[in-house]
Amino acid sequence: MPIDIGERLRGLPTGSAVALKIDPREYADHYFAVLNATLRDVGSETNAHTIYVAVTNPAAFVWTLAQALDVPIDRISFVDAISHIMMNYANPLPNATYVESPRALEEIMLRVEYLLRKYPHPRSIVVIDSVNSLAIHNPPELLSEFFHILLNNLKSRSVLTLVLETVEEEQTGVEQMLNLVVDETIDVARAGR
Amino acid sequence: MESPSDAPASAPSGTTPGLMGPATILPRCATGIEGLDNILEGGIPRGNMVLVAGSVGTGKTTLSLEFLVRGAERGERSLFISVTEASSKLIQNLSTFEFFRRDLIEQGSLVFVDLPVIYDRLGLGEEELTGEEIDILIRTIRDLVRSLGAQRLVLDSLTSVCYRIRKDEQIRDFMLRLGQELNELGCTSLLVSEIGPNPARYSLHGVEEAIVDGVILLWNTRRFGDILRVVQIVKMRGTSHSRAQYVLELTPIGILMAPHLKGGREGGP
């Protein structure tokens, strides 16, 4: 029986860390289902503030999709770690902060921290899009350390953390590493959309 | 005067002594920089004289200024003695931070003094200071702190002062006496020390770090070509503290810190 991602996420205890597995063969459908569930079903319906860490696609692209889902500008902020490296940040978004490189993992942590402090909210969500993109730029030891520290920090502050993961054909160790740090994995392919 | 951060001989607010805690916890001067206070177990022991050492662009002045602003916000009069940069320019730069409040200056809680102006008034020349002139300088700083009732002091930079005190024994004497005077007045001080990017020591002469109660070291490090600002507490008398390295970011709301990721590698200045 297909699962409803939004319902699953809403039912999680505060401070949970969840991996959302996306099938690359159905990337567009799965990605939109994830955005719909996180930004609209969970974000808007629970009146939460979402901090979206954009590493796969630039914040401007995700913001366009978020607008299509009627997400208000004061309910989402971006940590964009990809536009700089693409030399594509001439028109910065008012609700985004830009990190120079996806290799600056501490800076990503600090920008998330900055946004959590700047926009204190009873319910916050952090979306990391994605573990695979971070793995392209960072060695596995650094990435494991990053996720271990960040996710524990967010858990202690009752922040729901969602990590997007594209399922890879070959074993790269990313999946194993993520399994060690998240509380739950949701396979988007099994979810009803 | 007891300040809000003068905790009794028990754990400072927000910290617990833990199983390895000391028998007595000294009253703290919370820096107001949350990450720093966490790794210092509540803040700098009150009355300590601390060297803030780092190369250019590592955030020494910003850290020191935030320490003063946060103190002034808590009702502790805070004094900045500038040696190299005009106060007006410092205030202009400070106004870009959200944590800065101009009213703290207007109401006299945050005071800026330019040392070259003091040198002029005291008739101290441009050259090397004599023993007598060093004595006058110490008394002037002490009287300034006393008359203002300052509980926090920043001297930016100690290096510039030490350029005019050439002999190691005179520097040692200057530091010892200044530290003693400030401690007696209950004033916690940060002395900014400018060092090179790959230092063998934390100050101009190497004498200074032996005298002070604490050393906060800042440096830039590279990972895959990107520069990270790193901070580490090398020494702090009167408290146990973290010895780990932290990445520091100067954000509009103030300094934020995160653990320096190593990925199994060594790191250092």
Side-chain angles (χ1 to χ4, degrees):
Chain A
M1 194 177 122
I3 53 166
D4 182 318
I5 311 171
E7 200 180 303
R8 281 280 293 277
L9 296 178
R10 278 197 304 267
L12 290 169
T14 56
S16 296
V18 181
L20 292 163
K21 288 172 82 165
I22 293 174
D23 186 336
R25 291 165 300 189
E26 293 183 72
Y27 182 83
D29 280 358
H30 284 186
Y31 183 61
F32 196 74
V34 165
L35 283 190
N36 194 37
T38 55
L39 300 184
R40 201 174 64 180
D41 294 354
V42 186
S44 298
E45 285 181 19
T46 63
N47 211 18
H49 182 255
T50 301
I51 296 169
Y52 196 102
V53 181
V55 190
T56 306
N57 297 301
F61 173 80
V62 184
W63 174 230
T64 307
L65 296 177
Q67 283 173 299
L69 293 167
D70 293 327
V71 176
I73 194 163
D74 62 344
R75 281 286 175 264
I76 186 166
S77 310
F78 293 93
V79 177
D80 182 320
I82 194 65
S83 290
H84 256 283
I85 210 167
M86 290 165 59
M87 305 289 283
N88 182 25
Y89 62 100
N91 300 305
L93 294 176
N95 54 343
T97 172
Y98 293 81
V99 174
E100 279 190 57
S101 155
R103 290 185 299 265
L105 294 174
E106 290 95 338
E107 211 166 316
I108 293 173
M109 281 199 256
L110 288 166
R111 296 299 172 91
V112 170
E113 173 75 26
Y114 169 69
L115 292 171
L116 285 171
R117 285 174 188 236
K118 188 158 174 72
Y119 304 109
H121 202 273
R123 191 176 165 95
S124 297
I125 302 170
V126 171
V127 180
I128 300 171
D129 175 12
S130 65
V131 63
N132 310 76
S133 298
L134 285 171
I136 292 170
H137 300 275
N138 294 284
E141 298 88 353
L142 270 182
L143 204 55
S144 305
E145 209 177 342
F146 166 76
F147 272 108
H148 188 228
I149 293 169
L150 179 65
L151 267 52
N152 270 306
N153 180 277
L154 295 173
K155 183 184 289 288
S156 70
R157 300 163 74 162
S158 303
V159 174
L160 172 65
T161 310
L162 309 172
V163 185
L164 274 57
E165 177 197 358
T166 305
V167 181
E168 294 173 342
E169 297 265 330
E170 289 177 24
Q171 289 287 329
T172 57
V174 166
E175 189 176 354
Q176 265 181 310
M177 182 270 290
L178 206 53
N179 282 342
L180 290 173
V181 290
V182 296
D183 304 303
E184 192 161 339
T185 299
I186 297 176
D187 188 346
V188 180
R190 289 189 54 233
R193 298 189 291 277
Chain B
M1 188 177 96
E2 186 170 279
S3 74
S5 54
D6 271 345
S10 60
S13 168
T15 67
T16 51
L19 293 173
M20 291 281 284
T24 307
I25 293 175
L26 300 175
R28 299 306 166 108
C29 176
T31 65
I33 299 164
E34 196 182 300
L36 205 53
D37 288 333
N38 284 343
I39 63 174
L40 285 168
E41 301 200 341
I44 298 169
R46 190 160 288 280
N48 268 11
M49 185 164 76
V50 177
L51 207 62
V52 179
S55 54
V56 289
T58 51
K60 304 181 295 294
T61 300
T62 306
L63 183 146
S64 303
L65 284 167
E66 187 171 352
F67 165 74
L68 293 187
V69 172
R70 301 292 186 196
E73 275 178 339
R74 297 166 71 102
E76 296 179 19
R77 187 161 282 171
S78 301
L79 171 63
F80 190 98
I81 300 180
S82 180
V83 186
T84 46
E85 205 171 344
S87 295
S88 54
K89 199 175 164 197
L90 279 166
I91 294 166
Q92 198 182 350
N93 293 337
L94 192 54
S95 65
T96 61
F97 290 96
E98 287 173 29
F99 64 80
F100 174 61
R101 284 171 40 197
R102 194 167 289 275
D103 63 304
L104 294 172
I105 296 179
E106 288 158 3
Q107 68 200 29
S109 305
L110 181 58
V111 179
F112 286 82
V113 172
D114 291 325
L115 195 62
V117 174
I118 294 179
Y119 283 152
D120 271 357
R121 286 192 188 157
L122 295 174
L124 304 181
E126 296 283 313
E127 300 302 316
E128 185 179 344
L129 297 174
T130 64
E132 194 186 342
E133 286 173 329
I134 294 168
D135 191 51
I136 291 171
L137 183 60
I138 294 169
R139 277 189 279 132
T140 304
I141 294 174
R142 178 199 63 194
D143 292 347
L144 201 54
V145 169
R146 185 185 281 159
S147 64
L148 288 169
Q151 290 172 278
R152 297 182 185 219
L153 166 75
V154 168
L155 177 63
D156 188 2
S157 68
L158 175 68
T159 314
S160 300
V161 174
C162 286
Y163 271 124
R164 302 183 64 181
I165 308 174
R166 307 259 166 86
K167 295 187 183 103
D168 281 2
E169 57 269 27
Q170 283 186 318
I171 289 170
R172 187 176 287 114
D173 185 51
F174 169 75
M175 300 284 294
L176 277 170
R177 288 178 52 206
L178 183 64
Q180 194 178 353
E181 297 281 5
L182 293 174
N183 183 270
E184 280 171 14
L185 293 169
C187 181
T188 310
S189 54
L190 301 185
L191 311 182
V192 174
S193 174
E194 295 152 11
I195 52 176
N198 297 300
R201 55 195 187 194
Y202 306 126
S203 58
L204 185 64
H205 297 267
V207 174
E208 299 90 315
E209 60 250 39
I211 310 290
V212 290
D213 301 299
V215 176
I216 299 173
L217 179 64
L218 298 124
W219 73 94
N220 287 321
T221 190
R222 284 179 188 274
R223 186 192 295 144
F224 311 125
D226 300 322
I227 294 176
L228 300 170
R229 282 191 179 104
V230 182
V231 61
Q232 188 171 32
I233 309 293
V234 175
K235 159 183 171 180
M236 190 63 68
R237 289 182 186 136
T239 181
S240 53
H241 58 85
S242 162
R243 292 176 182 277
Q245 298 174 359
Y246 296 84
V247 170
L248 168 149
E249 177 148 23
L250 316 177
T251 77
I253 58 170
I255 287 177
L256 296 178
M257 286 162 54
H260 184 201
L261 305 179
K262 300 280 173 46
R265 290 182 187 80
E266 273 298 310

